[in-house]
Amino acid sequence: MATIEGRFTGASALRIAVVVARFNDLVTAKLLSGCLDCLSRHGVDITEKSKQLDVAWVPGSFELPIVAQSLARSGKYQVLITLGAVIRGDTPHFDVVVSEASKGIATVSRETGVPVIFGVLTTDTMQQALERAGIKSNLGWTYALQALEMGSLMGDLNNSTVSS
Ligand code: INI
């Protein structure tokens, strides 16, 4: 029996890209800071001169998939993290933005084989979003952990050979 699971060690060997939406950047900048804190504490170089981490900004969550697709297709990264915040109270087309972002991100991940973490907060109010971006907990930290796990897991799967 093989047990297949990701690890949180070896992060310094991963190349990671984070794509962040500027819309609601009061929230997304906090998600990014939690994300970078987690990556750094697991050994990822997050300095300006880092060769293992790139951060791309897009206008809103709707644009996350196309930029994630370009980065995934570049072949430079083992894992991507997308960060956004869509708030229902302020967004008549909430369902459209969330639907396109979530479907698009899932499609990029499946079609390229590069894991793409869905770090888009979908809340009813700004207060709820802020609570998830640092006032209570910071989900950016969790998304980074999930990225390390999936980067490691997919790396192991891609390198493994099936023997009988
Ligand atoms: N983008 C978001 O990331 N969150 C939102 O809450 C939001 N609202 O409220 O509309 C939002 N809209 C912008 C959208 O993502 C695109 O950037 C825009 O439509 C241009 O394509």
Side-chain angles (χ1 to χ4, degrees), residues 22-145:
R22 284 191 197 282
F23 206 103
N24 291 322
D25 77 345
L26 185 65
V27 176
T28 61
K30 296 295 290 176
L31 290 176
L32 178 62
S33 110
C35 178
L36 296 181
D37 181 47
C38 176
L39 294 178
S40 171
R41 290 211 240 162
H42 285 81
V44 176
D45 178 5
I46 63 160
T47 63
E48 284 287 316
K49 60 175 177 43
S50 175
K51 295 201 183 322
Q52 67 168 144
L53 177 75
D54 293 316
V55 177
W57 287 87
V58 297
S61 296
F62 189 84
E63 284 75 33
L64 290 169
I66 189 169
V67 173
Q69 175 177 268
S70 175
L71 293 168
R73 283 184 180 163
S74 74
K76 281 169 47 181
Y77 307 99
Q78 281 81 48
V79 63
L80 306 182
I81 303 166
T82 57
L83 300 175
V86 194
I87 299 169
R88 186 187 293 275
D90 303 335
T91 316
H93 58 306
F94 172 94
D95 293 321
V96 176
V97 175
V98 171
S99 167
E100 290 306 315
S102 56
K103 276 188 296 175
I105 289 165
T107 301
V108 169
S109 198
R110 282 197 302 267
E111 289 188 353
T112 62
V114 177
V116 185
I117 300 303
F118 181 70
V120 179
L121 294 181
T122 56
T123 61
D124 288 330
T125 65
M126 174 60 85
Q127 175 68 21
Q128 290 169 344
L130 289 170
E131 284 170 4
R132 291 158 176 75
I135 289 183
K136 287 185 177 168
S137 59
N138 190 327
L139 282 175
W141 225 91
T142 310
Y143 301 139
L145 268 188

